[in-house]
Amino acid sequence: MTHLRAAITGVHGYAPEYILTNQELETMVDTTDEWITTRTGIRERHICKGEGKGTSDMAVEAVKGLFKKTNTSPNDIDLVICATVSPDMVYPATANIISDKVGIKKAFSFDINAACSGFIYALTTASKYIETGAYKKILVVGADKMSSIVDYTDRTTCVIFGDAAGAVLLEPSTNGYGLMDAILRSDGSGRIHLHQKAGGSVRPASHETVDNREHFVYQEGQAVFKFAVTNMADVSVEIMEKNGLKSKDITWLVPHQANLRIIEATARRMGLEKEKVMINIQRYGNTTNGTIPMCLFEWEDQLKKGDNIVLAAFGGGFTWGSIFLKWAYDGGK
Ligand code: UT7
């Protein structure tokens, strides 16, 4: 029997119009364009502005674009999974809100929170629904309005993050394309280095938590950096070895865009030249769950049926992992 795999059959992305440059950040906090570019590789990031605009609004733009280019009707969708750390509301799930806003009525929808690894967790989860044969069209969304949880008086975090959303359509494939393998990991002891202190059940919102600025991203950058470099590279090498892939077999590495130095270290460990690595961190910063689908979207025209692609991510939790997939269509069709 031919193995049923989950293949990405379309991708679309959206970044809001407003561009926050390093130069503008220089006027907001004690930083320099030179520090930001040499330490992170980031030059600018997009920010979602406007009263009442949330993560779902960016995701809706990505999903509508995806529907149009893949000729998909909202009625065709069986399941929506949204990976996000900046949901519109604590509940309901942002996936529910996206479904409502784009007119999806015959699906169930839920969110996945795995910080910056959320998109690869969501893609892997969705692939299992396809592989059972029970689901035919699944939307996997990665979206974050990081500007809603970033403290713009904290120079150690506010220069890093940006806002964006991306969405892929997953469908069954019986001809050898699609998700081939995934390795996902987590280690909750890493939470001390990267978390949001208040707003959860341990420390609900109060005047004190707001006064203490505890509703923003808290990150011990150097500690996270060490774990990110090691784990993202290790898991990417592990998926290569597990699937008998040599450097020359890999067409593209699609890394989470947290820091150019982490991306370069991962590519080096995998033995990949930089031409094979998707990098757009300079224009978007770290958009958390938006990074990987935004890369796929921007490189879609260059992708060919049968390309061997490795996705890799590391994020808060800690969470990390990699996916090996065979691209299922010639891009830009
Ligand atoms: O997305 C998922 C998980 N997140 C990551 O993977 C992020 C991992 N971490 C990183 O990317 C890096 O650690 C950062 C980009 C966050 C920071 O870079 P770093 O090279 O690790 O810098 P650092 O935190 O060691 O700080 C070095 C110095 C410090 O000054 P002192 O103590 O040496 O005087 C900081 O206060 O740089 C200072 N600094 C800044 N200076 C100018 C920190 N932020 C800034 C800034 N502008 N924006």
Side-chain angles (χ1 to χ4, degrees), residues 30-31 35 39-40 116 155-156 159-160 194 219 221-222 224-225 228 256 258-259 261-262 286 314-315:
D30 181 15
T31 192
W35 190 96
R39 299 287 178 128
T40 70
C116 295
R155 70 174 182 173
T156 69
V159 302
I160 301 170
L194 177 49
Q219 174 168 261
Q222 253 187 44
V224 178
F225 187 92
H256 169 54
N259 187 313
R261 291 180 287 146
I262 299 174
N286 181 352
F314 182 89

Side-chain angles (χ1 to χ4, degrees), residues 8-78:
I8 293 176
T9 55
V11 55
H12 206 74
Y14 173 81
E17 215 172 288
Y18 189 85
I19 295 174
L20 174 60
T21 60
N22 289 354
Q23 287 69 26
E24 188 176 350
L25 279 165
E26 284 177 347
T27 69
M28 296 161 64
V29 288
D30 181 15
T31 192
T32 60
D33 173 49
E34 207 254 330
W35 190 96
I36 304 170
T37 46
T38 53
R39 299 287 178 128
T40 70
I42 303 166
R43 295 187 182 280
E44 56 191 37
R45 64 290 290 143
H46 291 241
I47 303 293
C48 177
K49 299 239 181 192
E51 195 65 28
K53 290 268 181 231
T55 294
S56 73
D57 295 292
M58 294 188 294
V60 161
E61 294 299 326
V63 170
K64 281 185 177 165
L66 179 61
F67 280 172
K68 195 162 171 224
K69 77 206 275 191
T70 56
N71 215 0
T72 304
S73 151
N75 286 329
D76 299 337
I77 301 297
D78 305 311

Side-chain angles (χ1 to χ4, degrees), residues 155-172:
R155 70 174 182 173
T156 69
T157 50
C158 75
V159 302
I160 301 170
F161 294 101
D163 303 337
V168 300
L169 183 63
L170 266 197
E171 295 183 84

Side-chain angles (χ1 to χ4, degrees), residues 185-229:
R185 299 273 158 70
S186 58
D187 175 1
S189 68
R191 69 188 181 281
I192 55 167
H193 302 298
L194 177 49
H195 57 264
Q196 189 170 312
K197 294 195 182 302
S201 56
V202 167
R203 195 156 163 75
S206 67
H207 281 291
E208 194 192 347
T209 63
V210 172
D211 289 345
N212 292 343
R213 310 186 78 77
E214 292 177 28
H215 294 270
F216 296 118
V217 174
Y218 169 81
Q219 174 168 261
E220 292 161 8
Q222 253 187 44
V224 178
F225 187 92
K226 278 184 204 144
F227 283 99
V229 163

Side-chain angles (χ1 to χ4, degrees), residues 26 29 31 42 55 60 77 82 84 145 150 176 186 202 241 257 268 274 277 287 303 305 312 317:
E26 284 177 347
V29 288
T31 192
I42 303 166
T55 294
V60 161
I77 301 297
C82 177
T84 187
K145 183 184 167 185
V150 162
S186 58
V202 167
E241 288 172 357
Q257 315 275 310
R268 256 195 317 274
K274 69 173 190 310
V277 187
T287 60
L303 301 179
K305 198 171 182 171

